[in-house]
């Protein structure tokens, strides 16, 4: 296990991949991290890599998924060589599953419960106890809260976002790291722009088809409180049985 600097949370696995080094040694405590990318860009794979790496550094994590069940999460992590069974049993990792159907709609709950989805999220005290909280994907939460949707329709989306941000700021004032993933094709700019503006770390995930190959990259738009030098563009791939593999890096 590597030595974690007091002013940075290492995402570990130095002997497995180079992601921690490419991101300057880890993420600063007390920060909001926005990871933005289209479907298939690698948001969940990177979130899962962060989760596993943090737990290997004895950093506690909550992972809220809007796509995976508990068994699906365990199987997915295992397929990436990120075995988190013991971390779950030892409560280093709290996994929560939001019950959404294949169409992205919240399943089961009545209309009143849906109206209070964001409130229920913020009232779930156990979720916010760990040092790192990952919400994958945050846009699904926003889209399934009718109260939030109503504010957006009335051109009050920015104000609604600011209320959520206020809560996030309360959390990070205690040194926590909040990582949210967003598919920008599912929400309008007025909704997501406030989160882009306040994110301490803002990265965009990009992908391009080159022949039969899909090339993915991390484009670092902002990285406040970095430990060491952070690459502007970090190429990576997701490999079954291996996980995240760093392919290339460039620095402006």
């Amino acid at each position: 296990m590597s030595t974690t600097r007091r002013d940075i949370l290492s995402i570990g696995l130095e002997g497995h991949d180079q992601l921690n080094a490419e991101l300057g040694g880890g993420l600063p405590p007390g920060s909001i991290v926005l990871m933005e990318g289209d479907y298939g860009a690698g948001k969940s794979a990177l979130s899962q890599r962060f989760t596993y790496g943090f737990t290997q550094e004895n950093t506690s994590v909550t992972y809220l998924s809007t796509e995976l069940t508990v068994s699906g999460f365990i199987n997915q992590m295992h397929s990436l060589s990120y075995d988190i069974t013991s971390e779950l049993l030892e409560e280093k990792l709290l996994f929560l599953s939001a019950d959404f159907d294949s169409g992205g709609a919240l399943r089961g709950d009545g209309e009143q419960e849906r109206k209070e989805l964001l409130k229920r999220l913020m009232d779930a005290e156990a979720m916010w106890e760990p040092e790192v909280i990952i919400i994958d994907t945050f846009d699904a939460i926003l889209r399934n809260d009718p109260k939030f949707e109503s504010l957006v329709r009335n051109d009050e989306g920015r104000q609604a976002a600011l209320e959520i941000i206020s809560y996030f700021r309360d959390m990070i004032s205690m040194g926590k790291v909040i990582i949210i993933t967003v598919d920008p094709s599912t929400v309008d700019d007025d909704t997501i722009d406030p989160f882009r503006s306040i994110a301490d770390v803002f990265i965009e995930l990009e992908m391009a088809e080159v022949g039969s190959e899909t090339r993915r990259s991390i484009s670092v738009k902002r990285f406040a409180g970095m430990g060491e030098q952070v690459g502007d563009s970090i190429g990576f791939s997701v490999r079954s049985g291996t996980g995240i593999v760093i392919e290339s890096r460039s620095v402006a």
Side-chain angles (χ1 to χ4, degrees):
M1 182 179 298
S2 66
T3 300
T4 304
R5 289 176 42 174
R6 294 178 60 187
D7 59 346
I8 210 85
L9 290 180
S10 171
I11 57 173
L13 303 188
E14 282 86 352
H16 187 83
D17 61 42
Q18 295 298 311
L19 185 60
N20 190 60
E22 298 292 0
L23 292 179
L27 299 176
S31 60
I32 297 172
V33 180
L34 173 61
M35 183 157 49
E36 189 174 308
D38 293 335
Y39 178 81
K43 297 185 299 297
S44 292
L46 280 170
S47 296
Q48 291 153 14
R49 163 62 180 86
F50 287 155
T51 297
Y52 183 63
F54 278 132
T55 60
Q56 300 311 293
E57 297 291 317
N58 288 321
T59 299
S60 57
V61 179
T62 290
Y63 188 107
L64 171 63
S65 174
T66 62
E67 298 177 344
L68 297 172
T69 61
V70 175
S71 61
F73 176 68
I74 293 173
N75 290 338
Q76 171 68 10
M77 295 291 276
H78 180 74
S79 74
L80 296 173
S81 193
Y82 302 150
D83 188 354
I84 40 73
T85 305
S86 62
E87 284 73 17
L88 288 167
L89 293 174
E90 294 168 8
E91 299 184 347
K92 292 180 183 177
L93 170 60
L94 172 64
F95 176 80
L96 300 173
S97 176
D99 192 16
F100 291 87
D101 63 25
S102 60
L106 185 65
R107 196 191 337 245
D109 284 342
E111 185 68 14
Q112 182 61 32
E113 285 74 18
R114 288 190 68 231
K115 285 181 179 178
E116 298 180 350
L117 182 57
L118 281 165
K119 182 178 185 299
R120 290 165 60 198
L121 185 74
M122 292 184 282
D123 286 347
E125 294 183 5
M127 171 179 169
W128 302 97
E129 289 177 0
E131 296 161 272
V132 177
I133 299 91
I134 299 175
I135 305 176
D136 179 38
T137 61
F138 187 60
D139 57 271
I141 301 293
L142 298 180
R143 289 183 285 107
N144 278 277
D145 188 306
K147 181 179 179 181
F148 187 89
E149 288 182 324
S150 176
L151 289 170
V152 171
R153 285 196 299 271
N154 292 324
D155 296 324
E156 298 177 22
R158 182 174 294 272
Q159 180 58 40
L162 291 176
E163 291 178 10
I164 302 168
I165 289 167
S166 176
Y167 181 82
F168 283 178
R169 287 195 182 281
D170 287 343
M171 291 295 103
I172 66 172
S173 70
M174 295 184 281
K176 298 181 185 296
V177 173
I178 299 175
I179 302 173
I180 57 176
T181 72
V182 171
D183 181 344
S185 69
T186 65
V187 287
D188 60 37
D189 283 339
D190 282 345
T191 298
I192 198 61
D193 276 348
F195 295 98
R196 290 170 175 152
S197 297
I198 60 89
D200 302 283
V201 178
F202 175 24
I203 60 179
E204 288 184 346
L205 303 184
E206 301 169 348
M207 60 179 178
E209 299 294 333
V210 181
S212 60
E213 180 184 359
T214 300
R215 295 184 180 177
R216 295 179 173 87
S217 63
I218 300 169
S219 178
V220 179
K221 303 299 184 183
R222 184 184 311 118
F223 205 116
M226 69 177 70
E228 306 296 337
Q229 179 68 50
V230 175
D232 292 323
S233 180
I234 305 165
F236 73 98
S237 61
V238 183
R239 300 182 188 176
S240 178
T242 302
I244 298 296
V245 176
I246 300 302
E247 304 285 2
S248 62
R249 180 197 197 199
S250 66
V251 179

